[in-house]
Amino acid sequence: MKLALAQINPTVGDFTGNARLILDYTARAAAAGATLVLFPELAITGYSPADLLEKPSFLARSQQVVEEIAAATATLPITILCGFVSAAPSGSGKHVQNSAALLRNGRVDFVQTKRLLPFYDVFDEQRYFAPALSQSLCQVDGDSVAVTICEDAWNDKSFWHTRRYGIDPIEELMQQGAAGQPPSIILNISASPYWQDKRATREHMLSAIARRYQVPVVMVNQVGGNDSLIFDGSSLVVASDGHVAAQALSAHEDLIFYDTDTGVGDMHPQIADESAMTYAALVLGTRDYVRKCGFSKVLIGLSGGIDSALVAAIATEALGPANVMGIGMPSPYSSQGSIDDSRQLAANLGVRFELLPISEIFLETTETLSGLFAGLAPDVTEENLQARIRGTLLMALSNKFNALVLTTGNKSEMATGYCTLYGDMVGALAVIGDVLKTRVYDLARHVNSEREIIPHTILDKPPSAELRPGQLDSDSLLDYAHLDPVVAAYVERYETPEAIATATGLSLDVVHSVVQMIERSEYKRQQAAPVLKVTPKAFGPGRRFPIAVKVQV
């Protein structure tokens, strides 16, 4: 067989657009001589449809589009394998299943349904889908083929020390061969989201499966952003000896080919550096979030700091300079250097920059409040007031210019609550909300790897919100070099304060103080903009904690 891996970027619910993509890539694959083309998990509906799956009309449309694609490709000498939503059998307790359809000769010739339904982190599949109770092999061009869907390949007992499920769909399929002859190839269609180092994990896992069964393993993965999730693509073919025989691009749509007879496939260049890959993922996630929500332009409050500079660089690469506007909003405590740095950054990026000073608004507002505040010393109230004035101005511009506001807070700030509700948290998307502050600097250096885009003065200055005279982040927080390991350990790995103190060398009292900040800030995070996920544990749907709770750590 000559296989084609069609790594496409579907949009959730866009049946017409997704079908158009599938037909276009199928025609291209057939023209190149492929006999089988693979599309990702739920390619027809986009991943994940969430509660759209509860609508009977959504299921009906999914099934209708599968039939339409089969009919439209009836004259092409190629078989299609693509993911869709199918009807669940009566009595299963659900009304839909996550399935793969094999289309040939103008009809749906075979359907395989997903057995392992993930229900952890960002995955909610057991909420919606009925699992397959059994599986069977199919025949393609005379070859016996094992078809699996994403998680079905993630339970190999020879690879995972701890398994989530009691069954291994691949093992069961490989035992079904007639007369002791197992399938000659394993196909896996996936919607596997990106996070740091996920690509290497996938490759190692699939290589272990290929070596165990001595057959090639093919995985086609979705690419693109859908809400908080970013799908990196990185589709690949692993030969029977475990080496990568074909590889698609990361963070871009792609079409690659693999010949099962010769073992030769396309090897497209990869993003090797993980900082570069994380940056590419954030660009992709930003572009797709803005465009799939029906917008083309964004606004960013430029403070002269490293966070807003990085978000501006990501947005500019994602959407183009003409679609990005930076807004400087100096208060009485903003330094001239921060204003100059913001203007220079905008010039380096080629984006429009506007200055809206807030000093007079701030003074008028404090004067309005002075009677109620009489006898009370200035405190964080006045600091937050400046941030909220900025948020109001950004949202006014958003309404007037039909542009989304991108928030600029990082994961360290979101974790500890070092951010202002209805102030700097205002916006449609938290672009770097899953990026620790120390990683922000790594990504900024990546931005500057070829030329200086983010001014060195921004990289070199001590972090400061500039909401009071001489303010530094270190006045309220640990130095980020010490804070970030605590945040990562507690938020991402659920380690205890005692274990964190031992590992970091910090006192237990210091660790407890950080943990308390994290726990007290849950109410803020649950009002935050969606966060682009680039680590194994991001704030948002993959990390669910109660707000009204007393936690004893």
Side-chain angles (χ1 to χ4, degrees):
M1 287 186 290
K2 183 176 182 180
L3 302 179
L5 282 65
Q7 182 174 286
I8 63 170
N9 183 352
T11 298
V12 173
D14 184 8
F15 290 102
T16 301
N18 297 342
R20 188 183 304 117
L21 273 176
I22 291 169
L23 291 173
D24 175 58
Y25 275 77
T26 298
R28 290 167 56 188
T35 53
L36 173 64
V37 57
L38 287 74
F39 290 91
E41 176 183 15
L42 296 185
I44 285 173
T45 64
Y47 190 97
S48 166
D51 276 14
L52 288 172
L53 293 165
E54 303 289 353
K55 295 185 175 184
S57 59
F58 194 85
L59 168 61
R61 187 75 176 108
S62 173
Q63 295 175 307
Q64 176 188 353
V65 170
V66 171
E67 300 285 352
E68 291 173 351
I69 292 171
T73 57
T75 60
L76 293 178
I78 193 169
T79 299
I80 301 170
L81 181 68
C82 67
F84 78 115
V85 174
S86 66
S90 61
S92 66
K94 309 288 183 181
H95 74 279
V96 293
Q97 291 185 303
N98 183 341
S99 298
L102 198 70
L103 314 178
R104 55 188 166 196
N105 301 320
R107 62 190 180 90
V108 178
D109 199 51
F110 174 83
V111 173
Q112 187 82 289
T113 295
K114 192 172 184 177
R115 292 206 71 185
L116 305 184
L117 301 177
F119 198 54
Y120 56 88
D121 193 52
V122 297
F123 303 109
D124 257 345
E125 293 193 30
Q126 290 181 32
R127 172 182 174 129
Y128 302 107
F129 297 116
L133 299 179
S134 63
Q135 300 171 110
S136 57
L137 303 175
C138 65
Q139 299 290 315
V140 180
D141 291 344
D143 290 322
S144 181
V145 174
V147 174
T148 61
I149 302 174
C150 203
E151 190 87 350
D152 289 344
W154 289 72
N155 203 43
D156 180 10
K157 62 188 176 186
S158 66
F159 183 81
W160 299 103
H161 297 297
T162 302
R163 301 198 302 163
R164 296 182 184 273
Y165 314 91
I167 59 173
D168 181 352
I170 288 183
E171 183 177 57
E172 292 185 3
L173 284 167
M174 296 306 290
Q175 292 172 350
Q176 290 184 19
Q181 293 297 317
S184 60
I185 193 167
I186 298 169
L187 307 180
N188 183 268
I189 63 171
S190 285
S192 178
Y194 168 80
W195 55 72
Q196 291 163 16
D197 300 319
K198 180 80 169 285
R199 295 180 303 161
T201 299
R202 279 198 219 105
E203 180 183 324
H204 295 155
M205 178 190 71
L206 297 175
S207 294
I209 293 171
R211 290 192 301 270
R212 179 180 177 188
Y213 297 108
Q214 292 295 292
V215 296
V217 178
V218 180
M219 185 209 73
V220 62
N221 191 29
Q222 183 181 145
V223 71
N226 282 323
D227 293 352
S228 294
L229 298 184
I230 305 166
F231 300 89
D232 57 292
S234 311
S235 303
L236 74 165
V237 178
V238 180
S240 58
D241 64 358
H243 83 273
V244 176
Q247 179 81 70
L249 297 171
S250 296
H252 296 277
E253 289 190 312
D254 203 2
L255 180 66
I256 62 169
F257 298 91
Y258 173 75
D259 192 315
T260 62
D261 293 328
T262 64
V264 175
D266 295 325
M267 292 293 294
H268 290 177
Q270 296 299 295
I271 302 173
D273 179 74
E274 203 57 34
S275 287
M277 183 62 228
T278 299
Y279 183 80
L282 293 171
V283 169
L284 176 61
T286 301
R287 178 187 299 123
D288 277 359
Y289 186 89
V290 172
R291 292 180 177 174
K292 289 180 180 181
C293 287
F295 291 82
S296 61
K297 297 180 182 297
V298 296
L299 297 162
I300 302 165
L302 294 183
S303 66
I306 188 71
D307 297 322
S308 61
L310 177 60
V311 171
I314 291 168
T316 301
E317 185 163 340
L319 304 167
N323 293 314
V324 178
M325 184 189 302
I327 309 296
M329 295 169 284
S331 77
Y333 310 113
S334 299
S335 67
Q336 184 61 44
S338 291
I339 298 171
D340 294 341
D341 287 343
S342 296
R343 184 176 283 110
Q344 184 60 57
L345 170 71
N348 292 350
L349 291 171
V351 305
R352 179 179 173 184
F353 179 70
E354 297 292 342
L355 205 61
L356 297 178
I358 68 167
S359 294
E360 290 187 14
I361 302 174
F362 176 59
L363 291 174
E364 289 175 3
T365 307
T366 53
E367 178 62 28
T368 299
L369 293 167
S370 61
L372 289 173
F373 287 0
L376 300 174
D379 56 14
V380 71
T381 305
E382 285 74 17
E383 295 178 26
N384 287 341
L385 182 57
Q386 296 165 69
R388 290 179 176 130
I389 290 169
R390 289 169 175 150
T392 299
L393 294 178
L394 286 173
M395 290 310 301
L397 295 171
S398 174
N399 291 157
K400 188 63 68 176
F401 296 120
N402 197 36
L404 291 181
V405 175
L406 302 182
T407 73
T408 61
N410 59 63
K411 189 172 190 174
S412 309
E413 294 170 343
M414 288 189 69
T416 56
Y418 195 63
C419 46
T420 304
L421 273 175
Y422 327 119
D424 57 316
M425 292 178 70
V426 159
L429 180 67
V431 176
I432 59 171
D434 197 27
V435 181
L436 293 168
K437 184 75 169 191
T438 46
R439 287 281 289 159
V440 168
Y441 283 94
D442 292 339
L443 296 180
R445 284 187 282 271
H446 167 72
V447 171
N448 283 0
S449 58
E450 295 184 4
R451 66 181 180 91
E452 185 175 282
I453 295 174
I454 298 175
H456 71 273
T457 47
I458 291 179
L459 283 160
D460 294 341
K461 71 174 68 172
S464 171
E466 293 191 333
L467 297 174
R468 64 175 184 265
Q471 183 183 30
L472 295 174
D473 287 7
S474 56
D475 298 338
S476 304
L477 301 173
L478 279 178
D479 180 87
Y480 287 111
H482 294 108
L483 175 68
D484 284 358
V486 178
V487 172
Y490 190 73
V491 171
E492 298 177 8
R493 300 190 296 274
Y494 297 142
E495 294 181 12
T496 65
E498 290 77 13
I500 296 170
T502 299
T504 61
L506 297 170
S507 73
L508 186 57
D509 285 345
V510 168
V511 174
H512 269 298
S513 68
V514 174
V515 167
Q516 288 169 0
M517 294 174 76
I518 294 171
E519 296 294 349
R520 285 199 302 264
S521 302
E522 188 62 35
Y523 77 101
K524 289 187 178 182
R525 290 189 289 272
Q526 292 200 27
Q527 298 181 65
V531 172
L532 291 181
K533 177 181 171 66
V534 291
T535 71
K537 186 61 66 176
F539 294 125
R543 187 180 184 276
R544 307 174 193 184
F545 283 83
I547 297 173
V549 62
K550 184 174 182 179
V551 179
Q552 296 179 344
V553 294

